[in-house]
Amino acid sequence: MIKAILIFNNHGKPRLSKFYEHYNEDTEQQIIRETFHLVSKRDENVCNFLEGGMLIGGSDYKLIYRHYATLYFVFCVDSSESELGILDLIQVFVETLDKCFENVCELDLIFHVDKVHNILAEMVMGGMVLETNMNEIITQVDAQNKMEKSEVMCFVTFINQCPCLDICSMQGHCFAFHTASASR
Amino acid sequence: MALKIVKGSIDRMFDKNLQDLVRGIRNHKEDEAKYISTCIDEIKQELKQDNIAVKANAVCKLTYLQMLGYDVSWAAFNIVEVMSSSKFTYKRIGYLAASQCFHESTDVIMLTTNQIRKDLSSPNQYDTGVALTGLSCFVTPDLARDLANDIMTLMSHTKPYIRKKAVLIMYKVFLKYPESLRPAFPRLKEKLEDPDPGVQSAAVNVICELARRNPKNYLSLAPLFFKLMTSSTNNWVLIKIIKLFGALTPLEPRLGKKLIEPLTNLIHRKIHIFSSHKMLCSQSHLIVSLSRIAVLISLSSGMPNHSASIQVMKYLGLLAMSKILKTHPKSVQSHKDLILQCLDDKDESIRLRALDLLYGMVSKKNLMEIVKKLMLHVDKAEGTTYRDELLTKIIDICSQSNYQYITNFEWYISILVELTRLEGTRHGHLIASQMLDVAIRVRAIRVFAVAQMATLLDNAHLLTGNMQRMGICEVLYAAAWICGEFSEHLENPMQTLEAMLRPKVATLPGHIQAVYVQNAAKLFATVLKNQEGNTDSTAAQETSQLMIDRLPLFVQSANLEVQERASCILQLVKYIQKLQQKDVEVAEEVCALFAGELNPVAPKAQKKVPVPEGLDLDAWINEPPSESESEDEQPKAIFAKEEPKHSRPRHTEVDEKELARRREARKQEQANNPFYIKASPSSQKAYQEAPGVEHIPVVQIDLSVPLKVPGLPMSDQYVKLEEERRQKERADKKKKEKKKRKEKRSGRGRKHDSGPESEEDITPAHMVDIVTEEMPEVHRSCLNITMNLKGNARTNMISAKGAVSSYVVSGGIFLPVKSSKHKKKKQKKEKEEKEKKKKKKHHHHHHHSDGGGEESVQNGTVEEEEPLPVSVYDIQGNLQDGSQVVVSVIFENKCDSFLKSMEFNVLDSLNSKLQRPEGSGPHDGLTVPFQLPPGVSNEARFVFTVQSIVMPQKLKGTLTFIVKNEDSSTHEKLDFKLHFTCTSYLITTPCYSDAFAKLLESGDLKCSSVRLEGVIMPFHHLLARICFHHHFSVVERIDSCASMYSRSIQGHHVCLLVKTSGQTVSIDAKCDEPTLLGNVLDEIKQTFSQC
C-alpha cells in the first residue's frame, strides 16, 4: 500500500499532497516539512530510498523518492510495495504529466494541481496502484478532459448567447443560469 | 452596457478561480496568511450562492488551500453539494475535495450514500469512475456495508475501466466491512483471469494485500498464481505475484522448490532486459539467488562511478540480505567483507542497511574489530540521527543475547565511556542502563567500572557544560550510582565524594541529583570507615563537615526527591558529627545503613512466588454486588462438583511431586501464619551474601521461610546448613561455568539456572520432610503396635482408645528421630559423635517404619544391655477448652533394666506449648511421675495449649532417663517427634440429618473435594475407617453414598459426602475453615493410600 504521495519543490513548498490515511491538516504540514528536510539533505548520487521520518515512518514504511529538476516526488510505501516498482511508477507519473502538460514544468503543477490530482487518480486509487500503463492512463485522462471541455463549452456558449440579462436580474442570474444550462 | 456589466459581474464572480488564487498567493508573499483569510471569506460568500458552478469553483480553491494546511472541514456540506452535481466537471471537483478532506469522523459522509450509489450506477463510466476513486479515499464501515453490493455488481461491468476500479476498491471495502469478503471472493478470484490486464493486475493486487494479512487462506490460489507468473508479461503483476509467493512459501515449503526454476528464468530475463531489475527485492524471500545479489553488490561497489542506479542496486541487495539473514544467517555471513565495505558508503540509507546486517555478522572474534570500526564512524559521522543510530547499533550488537559475544568487559566499559563523549546524543539513558547492567551483573568488572565511573564524575563539568538538555548527562546517573554502591572499590573515595558534591551538580536534572545525594551518603560511609581505621579523627570530622557544608545546596532544590533525601542525610550527618565530637566510633553503624548487596532479579522471578494455598486471586473479597443475589436464592448444589476449583487439580495421584508440592504449599502457609516466626532478617542476610550474584530472591523465599520455629531444632538447622552448602556448590558450579564462558554472565544462563534451581529446591524440602512420609504408615500402626526403637528397647504401643475417654481423637506414636536414616546427616555435629556410636549398635533402626509395629517381634531377643523406655502417645482434644490438647503417652520398659528419673520435654513452637507447672522455665522438662521396672508400662498425660488448629504440626522433644542395672547406671536420651495431625483436633460428634442439612445450606462452608482411586474395600469398612481414624460420625447412609460429620475442638464443622463407584471413592467436603479441611482431606487420603 502507498501511504502518501507528496510533491514539493526544492524549497519544500508543497505542490501536491495526497494522503491515503487520514491526518489532520497540521500533521500533514508537519509530515511534508519533515519529509522535505530528510530528502533535501541527500546527495544526488545516492540511492532513492530513505528510512525514518517520525510521522509517516514506522519500521515497515520507507520513503521512495525521485528528484526532477526543481521537484521532489516522494512516495511513502509499506513493505508490500516493490521499491523498484515504485521508482518505476514515479517515472511513469512524471512522463504522464509531461505528456498531459506538454513539457511539464513546476508552474504547471502550481497552477493546475487539480489536473495533477486527476491524473494521479488514474494511477493510484486509495493507496493501491491502479494502472501503470502510460497510454492507458493518458487515454482515460484525455477522455475525461474532453467531457469536461464539452460541458464548459456549453457554458461558454450559453453566456455568449445571453444578451437579455440585465442588472435587475443579476441577483438571480446564477439560479437562472444554472437551470438553463441544466435543461440543455 | 448591460451586457458589459453582466459580463463584468460574471468575470468578477469568476475572477478568482484556482489559477487566480494561486497567483494571488504568490503575489502576496509577505502577508500570505492575511491574503488567504480574505480569500476564505470570499469563498464563504461564493459557497452561499446557489450557482453550482460558483460553488464548484469555491470548492476547487478550498482543495488547494487544504493542501496548504488550512482546515476546510467547515465546507463539508458544500462539498457534498458539489459532489451531487449532475455535471461531470463539478462532480469531479466535489469528489476530489471529498477524497482530500473527508475521513471517518466527518458526519456529512452519511448523506452521500445515495448520491454515491446513484453515481455508481450512472451510465457514464467516468461518473462511476470518479465516484469509485473518491470512495476509495473516504470509505467508512457504514458506506462499505451499504455499497458493498453495488460495487460487487460493478466488478462484472462491461467496461474494463470500471471493472478494475471496482476490483481494487473491494480491498478497502473488505477492510472496513470484513463480512463482505466471503461473498465477494469467488468473483475476485474470477477476475484473476480477466481478459483485461488492468483488471487482472488489480485483482492480483487485492489478493496480495489480503494474503499479507492472512497468507494461509490463499494457499489454494497458488496454482493459479503460478500460471499467471509464467504467462504474464506485466511487470507489476509479476512483482505482486512474487511478493505473494514470498508470503506463501513459509507455509508451504514445496512451493519454494517449485518456484526456483521459473524465478531464476525470470531473474535472468529481467536482469538482462530491464535496467531496473524489478525482481530483485521481491525474490529475496525465496532465497534463490543470494549469490547473484552478492555479485550485484560487489559489482556495484566495485564500479568507480557511484551513479544513483548503482546505489539503488546496492541498497536493494543489502535489503534482500537482511531478509535472508533472518533465515539463513550463515550464507550472509560469508559476505561480511562486502557488508563492512558498505559501512563506508557515502549514502546514509546504505550505511543504515549495512548496520542492520552487522547485527548478524558479529562473533566473539570480530566483535571488537567491528565495534572499533563503528566507533570510527561515530567520530566521523555528522548529523545526529545517523550517529544516534550508530550508537544504538553498537550497544545492540554488544549486548545482544546477553553479552554473548563480549569476551572482555573492561573493553566494553571503555567503549561505553567513550560513547559518552559523543556530543548531543539522545541515548544517554541507554548508555547509562548498559553501565548499570554490566556493573551489577559482572562482578569481576566492578573494580574497573568504578574507576572509570569515578573519572567520569570527576570530569562531569565536561558533560554538564553544554549538552545537558541532550540527555548525555543520564550517564552521570549510572556513574554516581555505581560509585556509591560499589564504593569499596574506589581508590580515592574522598575525591569522588567531593566531585559528587560540587555546586555544579545542582544544574543536573532532578532525578540525577537525587542519585547523587543518596550515593554521596554511601560514599560518606565508606570514607568514614577508612578514616576511622586510620585513627585520625580529625579527617573523619572534616569529611562530615564537608557533607554539612555542601548538602544545604541540595536541601534547597526544587525537586522534591532531592530535597527530601538531602535534608534526611544532612540531619544524619549532623548527628554523626555530634557523635564524632564525643569520640564515638560511628563508621560501622553508618556503613550498616547501606549494607547488603543488590542482586539482579530475573524478569520472571515474580511468577515463581507461589500463590499461597487457599488464596484465590480471582475470588471476590466482598460479596459481588446485588446482581448475583438472584443466583444466591437458587438452591445450591450441596457439594462442589467433581472437579476441584483451583487448589488441587490432581488429587488422585499422590506421587512424589504432588506430595512435594503440597508440602511446599503447606510451608508457604506456615510462612503466612502469624503464629510462626518468619525468617529472621539476619539469616536472610546470610543467605544473600553466601551464594553470590546468581542468587535469586525467590529461592530465598522457598528455602528460608518454612524452617523458622523458635528454638530451631538442630536437625533443621542442619538442613539449613545443608541447603546453604548446596547453594554454595551451585554457585561454585556456576562460577566454573562462568569461567568457562569467560566471564560471560548471561541472563539466559541465569534463567536456565533458576529453572533447575527451583527444582533442586524441592529436593531439600523433600529431605526435611522425609519423616512426614513415614508418618502415615506409622499412623496406621498406632493401634496395637509394638515398636522397636533400639535393639533391646522397645515400645509397646497400646491403643489409647480404650484407655481414654470417648473423645479420644487420634493415635500417634513417638517417632524416634534417630531411627530415620535420612535424619542422621541433619543432626547437629555435636551430637554426631554420640550418634555414630549408637548407629553402630543399632544399625537396623530404620526398619521400624516398614510394616508397622507387629514386626517388632524381630527384636524379641535382647541383644544389648542398654535399655530404653518407649512409648505410645495419643493426642486428644479437650472439648471444654478449645485451645487445649491432651497427649497421653504410654511408656513401656521392654528391657531388663530399671528406668527412673524420666524427664519429658518438648520444644515449644509459637503455636503449641507444653503446659508446665508454674514457676518452671519455658525449656524445662516435665518429670514423669513414675518409674518403670522392667516389663512395666504406665501412662502419663501432658497438656498442650494450641492456638491454631487448622494445620498439622510436629513438635520435637526429648525424653531423658536413667537406666539402672545392678552394677551401673547410665544417662540416656531419646529424641522423638510428636505429630499433631489435623484429625487429632477433630472430635467425634453425633449429628442429625436435619441439622446437617441446615448446616450445609447455611452457606458459610467452603467446599473442597478429593478422589481416591483403587480403594478395594467394602463401603462400610471404608466408612468405619474414616470414623475410626478421623473421628467422624455417619449422619446418613444411602447405598454407596454417605454423609459424615465431625467437629473440631474449636467448633469448626466438617461435613463429608462420601461416594463410591467401583474402586473410586470421591469425597466432597465442606468446612468453615478451608485450610483445616484441606489438611483433614490430605490425611484421609493418606490413610487410604496405605491400603
Side-chain angles (χ1 to χ4, degrees), chain B residues 285-302:
Chain B
H285 295 285
L286 297 159
I287 333 281
V288 282
S289 60
L290 177 72
S291 54
R292 181 153 293 128
I293 297 167
V295 167
L296 264 168
I297 298 173
S298 55
L299 258 180
S300 42
S301 39

Side-chain angles (χ1 to χ4, degrees), chain B residues 437-507:
Chain B
D437 199 38
V438 172
I440 294 170
R441 287 167 68 177
V442 187
R443 186 169 269 217
I445 200 67
R446 282 181 195 165
V447 181
F448 182 78
V450 165
Q452 291 289 314
M453 294 302 125
T455 340
L456 214 55
L457 284 178
D458 269 348
N459 301 333
H461 60 279
L462 289 175
L463 296 163
T464 50
N466 51 352
M467 59 204 90
Q468 180 184 332
R469 64 196 180 284
M470 301 307 278
I472 194 67
C473 55
E474 287 288 334
V475 172
L476 292 176
Y477 177 100
W481 191 86
I482 292 171
C483 282
E485 184 63 25
F486 307 117
S487 49
E488 69 270 18
H489 301 305
L490 271 178
E491 253 175 44
N492 191 351
M494 193 59 208
Q495 189 189 341
T496 314
L497 180 64
E498 266 169 36
M500 279 167 83
L501 290 170
R502 269 184 217 143
K504 210 160 189 187
V505 171
T507 57

Side-chain angles (χ1 to χ4, degrees), chain B residues 96-387:
Chain B
L96 175 63
S99 73
Q100 289 292 83
C101 58
F102 281 13
H103 50 94
E104 284 202 13
S105 51
T106 309
D107 42 10
V108 292
I109 271 193
M110 60 187 188
L111 302 176
T112 60
T113 316
N114 281 323
Q115 180 57 42
I116 295 172
R117 182 173 286 146
K118 212 176 98 195
D119 289 335
L120 290 182
S121 52
S122 157
N124 183 340
Q125 64 164 331
Y126 292 112
D127 279 354
T128 314
V130 123
L132 284 170
T133 309
L135 185 61
S136 72
C137 290
F138 59 80
V139 62
T140 64
D142 284 343
L143 280 178
R145 191 191 58 230
D146 296 340
L147 298 172
N149 258 328
D150 303 77
I151 299 171
M152 254 164 67
T153 337
L154 289 181
M155 281 166 77
S156 333
H157 200 270
T158 46
K159 299 252 172 52
Y161 178 74
I162 301 297
R163 282 210 302 275
K164 95 186 159 189
K165 287 197 167 195
V167 167
L168 210 55
I169 203 179
M170 272 325 268
Y171 177 65
K172 291 276 179 171
V173 175
F174 296 152
L175 280 187
K176 300 287 177 186
Y177 180 60
E179 288 89 336
S180 59
L181 178 56
R182 199 165 286 277
F185 192 70
R187 199 169 287 185
L188 189 60
K189 203 172 143 189
E190 220 171 77
K191 295 297 143 200
L192 282 177
E193 294 174 292
D194 197 276
D196 184 84
V199 181
Q200 209 179 43
S201 152
V204 170
N205 219 336
V206 169
I207 289 182
C208 278
E209 286 293 340
L210 288 173
R212 230 164 75 88
R213 288 170 182 259
N214 187 2
K216 68 173 186 297
N217 289 357
Y218 303 93
L219 262 180
S220 60
L221 293 180
L224 194 59
F225 278 112
F226 196 76
K227 207 175 86 189
L228 270 179
M229 186 171 76
T230 41
S231 62
S232 175
T233 52
N234 183 338
N235 284 329
W236 196 261
V237 171
L238 283 173
I239 290 172
K240 284 287 170 185
I241 290 176
I242 292 167
K243 285 253 178 201
L244 176 77
F245 277 130
L248 293 184
T249 33
L251 300 169
E252 178 55 70
R254 282 174 296 171
L255 206 56
K257 280 183 194 149
K258 243 189 142 182
L259 284 172
I260 292 176
E261 202 205 318
L263 266 181
T264 28
N265 285 343
L266 218 54
I267 291 164
H268 278 289
R269 211 164 81 210
K270 296 298 164 191
I271 283 181
H272 295 138
I273 297 170
F274 295 99
S275 60
S276 56
H277 310 292
K278 285 187 172 82
M279 314 318 298
L280 208 65
C281 49
S282 306
Q283 52 80 40
S284 63
H285 295 285
L286 297 159
I287 333 281
V288 282
S289 60
L290 177 72
S291 54
R292 181 153 293 128
I293 297 167
V295 167
L296 264 168
I297 298 173
S298 55
L299 258 180
S300 42
S301 39
M303 289 239 191
N305 66 333
H306 282 253
S307 74
S309 74
I310 294 288
Q311 292 293 89
V312 166
M313 300 312 306
K314 217 187 227 179
Y315 176 87
L316 293 175
L318 290 169
L319 188 68
M321 276 193 166
S322 74
K323 283 173 183 166
I324 295 166
L325 185 70
K326 283 174 201 149
T327 47
H328 295 67
K330 286 257 168 61
S331 47
V332 179
Q333 271 158 13
S334 53
H335 301 287
K336 197 186 89 195
D337 294 340
L338 210 56
I339 289 161
L340 285 177
Q341 214 175 315
C342 287
L343 273 183
D344 296 325
D345 201 282
K346 64 186 162 97
D347 186 352
E348 193 175 303
S349 292
I350 289 175
R351 285 197 307 253
L352 282 173
R353 281 271 141 242
L355 265 183
D356 276 355
L357 282 171
L358 269 188
Y359 190 80
M361 298 279 112
V362 288
S363 67
K364 278 178 207 168
K365 275 185 206 154
N366 63 14
L367 176 74
M368 284 175 156
E369 172 201 339
I370 288 179
V371 171
K372 195 176 149 197
K373 195 156 187 186
L374 289 180
M375 291 300 286
L376 280 178
H377 279 284
V378 171
D379 291 341
K380 276 191 287 182
E382 68 284 329
T384 49
T385 16
Y386 178 60
R387 206 164 51 183

Side-chain angles (χ1 to χ4, degrees), chain B residues 673 675-676 875-878 880-887 906-916 942-955 978-986 1048-1052 1076:
Chain B
N673 189 324
F675 300 119
Y676 274 81
I875 300 163
Q876 47 186 96
N878 188 336
Q880 276 76 50
D881 187 342
S883 63
Q884 280 196 353
V885 175
V886 177
V887 178
V906 172
L907 283 167
D908 291 352
S909 73
L910 261 199
N911 194 25
S912 318
K913 287 192 172 74
L914 175 64
Q915 278 202 344
R916 298 179 168 90
F942 302 96
V943 181
F944 286 80
T945 46
V946 181
Q947 308 246 17
S948 162
I949 61 158
V950 295
M951 283 166 310
Q953 54 180 313
K954 278 185 225 113
L955 292 183
L978 281 176
H979 191 206
F980 288 65
T981 56
C982 277
T983 304
S984 55
Y985 300 124
L986 295 182
S1048 78
I1049 55 168
Q1050 289 180 355
H1052 300 117
L1076 175 68

Side-chain angles (χ1 to χ4, degrees), chain A residues 1 13-20 22-23 25-26 28-29 32 41-51 54 60 62 78-89 106-107 109-115 117-118 121-122 124-132 136 139-141 143-145 147-149 151-152 154-155 159-160 162-163 165-167 170-171 173-175 177-178 181-182, chain B residues 2-3 5-7 9-10 13-14 18-19 22-23 26 32 49-54 60 64 66-72 86-90 92 96 99-103 124-127 130 132-133 136-137 161 164-165 168-169 171-172 175 198 201 205-206 209 212 234 236 239-240 243 276-282 306-308 311-312 315-316 319 346-350 352-353 356 385:
Chain A
M1 289 274 282
K13 285 253 181 243
R15 295 303 174 213
L16 174 133
S17 70
K18 181 89 198 167
F19 290 87
Y20 293 103
H22 176 71
Y23 295 99
E25 279 76 13
D26 291 341
E28 287 183 3
Q29 293 305 306
I32 294 171
K41 277 193 312 205
R42 292 173 62 82
D43 286 346
E44 275 306 303
N45 284 332
V46 295
C47 73
N48 307 55
F49 314 113
L50 190 61
E51 283 146 84
M54 288 300 148
D60 201 32
K62 59 167 68 84
D78 69 10
S79 63
S80 76
E81 299 295 343
S82 150
E83 289 82 356
L84 287 170
I86 296 293
L87 274 185
D88 205 42
L89 190 72
E106 192 185 343
L107 282 177
L109 269 71
I110 294 171
F111 287 106
H112 301 283
V113 67
D114 51 340
K115 283 184 184 154
H117 267 297
N118 294 336
E122 295 304 318
V124 180
M125 190 175 126
M128 291 194 289
V129 180
L130 178 71
E131 185 60 68
T132 49
E136 174 71 16
T139 318
Q140 302 300 349
V141 170
Q144 291 177 52
N145 287 343
M147 248 180 89
E148 191 179 342
K149 220 167 263 170
E151 282 173 351
V152 172
C154 299
F155 167 69
I159 291 177
N160 291 341
C162 256
L165 286 174
D166 62 25
I167 301 163
M170 270 312 291
Q171 236 102 23
H173 89 276
C174 294
F175 177 71
F177 178 75
H178 176 60
S181 61
Chain B
L3 181 64
I5 292 169
V6 169
K7 273 198 158 178
S9 82
I10 290 178
M13 196 78 69
F14 288 102
L18 178 59
Q19 283 74 36
V22 174
R23 202 167 290 130
R26 285 163 69 83
E32 195 182 290
Q49 311 260 358
D50 286 328
N51 190 326
I52 195 72
V54 181
C60 187
Y64 181 79
Q66 196 271 342
M67 185 181 83
L68 296 184
Y70 291 86
D71 177 27
V72 297
S86 57
K87 275 187 182 296
F88 173 73
T89 318
Y90 307 143
R92 186 157 77 167
L96 175 63
S99 73
Q100 289 292 83
C101 58
F102 281 13
H103 50 94
N124 183 340
Q125 64 164 331
Y126 292 112
D127 279 354
V130 123
L132 284 170
T133 309
S136 72
C137 290
Y161 178 74
K164 95 186 159 189
K165 287 197 167 195
L168 210 55
I169 203 179
Y171 177 65
K172 291 276 179 171
L175 280 187
S201 152
N205 219 336
V206 169
E209 286 293 340
R212 230 164 75 88
N234 183 338
W236 196 261
I239 290 172
K240 284 287 170 185
K243 285 253 178 201
S276 56
H277 310 292
K278 285 187 172 82
M279 314 318 298
L280 208 65
C281 49
S282 306
H306 282 253
S307 74
Q311 292 293 89
V312 166
Y315 176 87
L316 293 175
L319 188 68
K346 64 186 162 97
D347 186 352
E348 193 175 303
S349 292
I350 289 175
L352 282 173
R353 281 271 141 242
D356 276 355
T385 16

